[in-house]
Amino acid sequence: MRFNSLLAATAAVCSAIATPALAHSQWLLPSTTILSGTGNGVTVDAGASTSPFFADHVAMNLDDVKVWEADGTEGKIDNPARGRYRSTFDVMVDKPGTWKIGVEQSSVSGSFMLDGEMWRVGSMRGRPPMGAGLRPGAPGGEAPGGRPGQGGPGGPPPEGGRGRFDPAHVLATPADIPANATDVKLSERISRNFIFVTADAPTMTVFKPVGKGLEMEPITHPGSLVADEEGQFRFLVDGKPAAGVAVTVVPGGKRFREAEEAQELKTGADGVLHVKWPIPGMYWLSAELDDHHPGDPRAAERRMSYTTTLEVVAP
């Protein structure tokens, strides 16, 4: 009987491995979020995968990772390294209070038509230009508006797009779109992915809202989460409480249980999210919200996300 159970479990694992991944979410996993004294630091793993904290897909790019010390001044990361499935770095926490570590990004991307051909707008980070012309490698050419073109593997046109898409047809910013472009379809994206590390007494400076996009303002401090107590967090959009924000909360350790045990929650009318913690451990929390209030006047929609990793201790 025990052998048969082992075979069934093995088959289930193999089936899961063979199933194509539907989505990959980024995560930051600190070695701890609570420190005693200021002579210590944390090591952070960073990656993207279908199950939070299980490094099986791709490592996170560390170029945009920043550190905010407890008083809000900028700190630094040490010993950055990127492997196949995860990246790692250290942060020396040498001042008391709550520190913020992570990435915040804002961009506008999309497509437009020009003379029957499709162009894309958006960053091609990490991909070298294919030439300065309207065709890959064409010497001396210019992008529309008289600016050098910036190319790279572009893939298929977006859903609903028309015309032929050339891989070299990529512009860096909406400012490069020529006046005679048609079918301009742009979307603004604002994403944040933070973790919080507290040395000695917790502080609140790093949680001060900037008033743009989706943000989280804790009612229960991340350094005070306990498994038998409800956690409360207020979500804001452009500095105001946001109702109906969809939030997913997933406990770590999916590899060692049958179900993901994710909680699908929403903020109340006051923007407050109420979370219960079934067990102690690390939790991945991700909030998403779309609206039609982008900062760029040429964009039609705005997509916002806020992700964090929270440590919940045993009572």
Side-chain angles (χ1 to χ4, degrees), residues 32-42 69-71 78 91-99 197-203:
T32 184
T33 63
I34 303 170
L35 297 170
S36 178
T38 57
N40 301 299
V42 295
E69 298 180 1
D71 60 2
D78 295 316
V91 176
M92 182 62 184
V93 182
D94 55 5
K95 297 177 183 177
T98 301
W99 292 43
V197 178
T198 298
D200 292 337
T203 55

Side-chain angles (χ1 to χ4, degrees), residues 7-230:
L7 286 177
T10 303
V13 171
C14 291
S15 176
I17 294 174
T19 302
L22 298 179
H24 297 102
S25 301
Q26 290 193 341
W27 44 264
L28 296 165
L29 180 63
S31 53
T32 184
T33 63
I34 303 170
L35 297 170
S36 178
T38 57
N40 301 299
V42 295
T43 295
V44 182
D45 292 345
S49 57
T50 50
S51 297
F53 317 141
F54 182 35
D56 66 346
H57 181 58
V58 68
M60 183 186 293
N61 189 332
L62 300 181
D63 291 347
D64 296 325
V65 175
K66 294 184 179 180
V67 176
W68 291 264
E69 298 180 1
D71 60 2
T73 59
E74 188 170 335
K76 65 184 182 71
I77 67 173
D78 295 316
N79 308 317
R82 184 172 183 175
R84 172 63 181 87
Y85 296 113
R86 65 175 178 174
S87 298
T88 62
F89 61 90
D90 297 328
V91 176
M92 182 62 184
V93 182
D94 55 5
K95 297 177 183 177
T98 301
W99 292 43
K100 180 169 68 176
I101 305 165
V103 180
E104 55 182 351
Q105 297 175 321
S106 179
S107 63
V108 176
S109 61
S111 65
F112 64 91
M113 299 295 295
L114 182 68
D115 299 329
E117 295 183 323
M118 178 175 288
W119 285 73
R120 279 187 172 177
V121 179
S123 171
M124 301 296 284
R125 178 188 295 274
R127 295 178 177 178
M130 294 177 66
L134 295 181
R135 296 289 183 271
E142 288 186 340
R147 302 188 182 189
Q150 189 176 26
E159 184 178 353
R162 296 185 291 106
R164 179 171 55 85
F165 176 71
D166 191 297
H169 289 183
V170 180
L171 301 181
T173 69
D176 296 320
I177 300 176
N180 61 332
T182 61
D183 293 341
V184 179
K185 299 176 182 179
L186 299 179
S187 176
E188 183 179 34
R189 172 76 177 177
I190 301 175
S191 62
R192 295 181 168 96
N193 190 344
F194 296 137
I195 55 174
F196 304 95
V197 178
T198 298
D200 292 337
T203 55
M204 295 293 292
T205 300
V206 296
F207 297 105
K208 183 178 180 180
V210 299
K212 180 181 179 181
L214 182 63
E215 300 179 88
M216 186 270 285
E217 190 177 53
I219 298 173
T220 308
H221 193 281
S224 303
L225 299 174
V226 183
D228 63 347
E229 299 178 7
E230 180 182 86

